[in-house]
């Protein structure tokens, strides 16, 4: 048993190391994609929008949207978990169209940038893709103007320059949060021309997709390793491990 488990431990360490290297490479690619153009200054986050205050908003207060409002169909809700995973189709709750109309100020449209405003740390970003939806309390929504590329803005917010600013304005102990006012007044991003933004997004995607495929393979191997460990332990408890190669 000890021999089997030591081999599994070694394999798990190697897989964890490989996953960490892939994550580090992805982070490096992201930083390169949002690096400032020489001589350019970072712009207030509002310059990525049309300038309307409604372009940057947060979800409704809890009392305005509670679990009793949830439905099995209707207008989808966007939660923190959706932004973190980038998957807006799994584990979806809905509200009735009439309720969504009440909450129209918190609407998310296809192409809007969403950011988690709560977490440890907050600041995960994703571009919303889907039908009109309603963001929930701990999600911030940014509506990008036609002069900018939503994918680039999401990447820039996740980059070191802007993410450090998000962390610097995070408050709270039990629950760390970013307020809408502090986000509007404190966060800046580098905004090259839209053509340059699109080139950077395309370049990042090309490399990132290959890395994501590698990470999927690693995660699958980790899952198989965990299953194998359970099988070895079960066999040991049943007295079926009679030798090194059993």
């Amino acid at each position: 048993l000890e021999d089997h488990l030591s081999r599994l431990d070694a394999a798990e360490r190697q897989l964890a190391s490989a996953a960490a290297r892939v994550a580090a490479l992805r982070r490096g690619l992201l930083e390169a994609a949002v690096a400032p153009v020489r001589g350019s200054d970072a712009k207030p986050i509002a310059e990525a929008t049309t300038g309307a205050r409604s372009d940057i908003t947060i979800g409704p207060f809890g009392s305005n949207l509670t679990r009793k409002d949830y439905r099995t169909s209707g207008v989808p809700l966007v939660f923190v978990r959706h932004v973190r995973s980038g998957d807006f189709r799994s584990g979806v709750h809905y509200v009735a169209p009439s309720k969504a109309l009440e909450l129209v100020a918190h609407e998310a449209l296809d192409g809007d940038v969403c950011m988690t405003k709560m977490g440890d740390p907050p600041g995960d970003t994703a571009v919303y893709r889907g039908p009109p939806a309603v963001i929930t309390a701990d999600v911030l929504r940014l509506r990008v103007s036609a002069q900018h590329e939503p994918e680039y803005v999401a990447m820039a917010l996740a980059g070191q320059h802007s993410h450090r600013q998000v962390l610097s304005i995070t408050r709270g102990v039990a629950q760390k949060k970013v307020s809408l006012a502090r986000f509007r007044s404190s966060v800046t991003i580098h905004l090259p021309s839209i053509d340059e933004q699109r080139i950077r997004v395309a370049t990042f995607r090309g490399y990132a997709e290959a890395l994501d495929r590698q990470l999927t393979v690693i995660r699958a191997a980790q899952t198989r390793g965990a299953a194998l460990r359970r099988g070895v332990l079960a066999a040991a408890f049943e007295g079926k491990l009679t030798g090194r190669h059993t």
Side-chain angles (χ1 to χ4, degrees):
L1 176 61
E2 184 178 352
D3 183 59
H4 286 296
L5 293 180
S6 65
R7 288 171 181 268
L8 285 171
D9 288 342
E12 287 177 0
R13 287 193 297 271
Q14 290 174 350
L15 288 170
S17 177
R21 289 196 299 272
V22 170
L25 282 170
R26 201 180 195 283
R27 166 57 63 178
L29 287 171
L30 175 66
E31 294 302 332
V34 299
V37 175
R38 186 182 296 275
S40 66
D41 295 323
K43 306 294 184 183
I45 188 62
E47 292 200 19
T49 73
T50 65
R53 288 188 66 80
S54 59
D55 282 350
I56 305 176
T57 192
I58 57 176
F61 292 111
S63 59
N64 293 330
L65 178 62
T66 63
R67 292 187 66 85
K68 67 181 179 61
D69 296 311
Y70 296 175
R71 300 291 183 269
T72 55
S73 62
V75 178
L77 294 171
V78 175
F79 289 88
V80 164
R81 64 177 179 271
H82 297 130
V83 182
R84 284 182 175 154
S85 67
D87 178 4
F88 294 94
R89 298 184 179 183
S90 300
V92 179
H93 292 291
Y94 302 85
V95 292
S98 57
K99 184 64 177 180
L101 188 60
E102 292 178 22
L103 301 173
V104 68
H106 312 283
E107 184 179 51
L109 301 177
D110 189 83
D112 283 348
V113 174
C114 292
M115 188 192 86
T116 59
K117 74 177 191 72
M118 183 200 78
D120 191 15
D124 292 323
T125 63
V127 177
Y128 175 71
R129 295 300 181 190
V134 174
I135 59 173
T136 51
D138 294 315
V139 175
L140 180 148
R141 184 265 290 154
L142 187 148
R143 186 154 295 155
V144 179
S145 76
Q147 283 70 48
H148 300 289
E149 172 59 45
E151 294 282 355
Y152 175 83
V153 173
M155 288 163 53
L157 282 173
Q160 193 175 66
H161 169 84
S162 297
H163 191 61
R164 281 179 174 171
Q165 293 175 336
V166 169
L167 296 182
S168 73
I169 59 174
T170 299
R171 301 289 185 271
V173 178
Q175 289 187 324
K176 297 181 178 180
K177 294 188 177 184
V178 176
S179 75
L180 179 59
R182 290 195 297 270
F183 181 82
R184 282 175 170 157
S185 64
S186 303
V187 175
T188 62
I189 61 174
H190 294 280
L191 291 170
S193 69
I194 189 169
D195 289 338
E196 177 68 16
Q197 290 177 28
R198 287 170 176 163
I199 290 170
R200 292 181 178 211
V201 168
T203 301
F204 173 77
R205 277 182 183 168
Y207 289 111
E209 287 173 1
L211 290 175
D212 290 343
R213 288 194 295 271
Q214 292 182 25
L215 191 57
T216 298
V217 171
I218 293 169
R219 297 302 186 206
Q222 289 174 318
T223 300
R224 290 195 299 271
L228 184 56
R229 179 181 291 274
R230 290 193 296 271
V232 168
L233 290 172
F237 288 129
E238 293 170 7
K240 295 179 179 179
L241 288 182
T242 59
R244 176 170 178 169
H245 301 294
T246 301

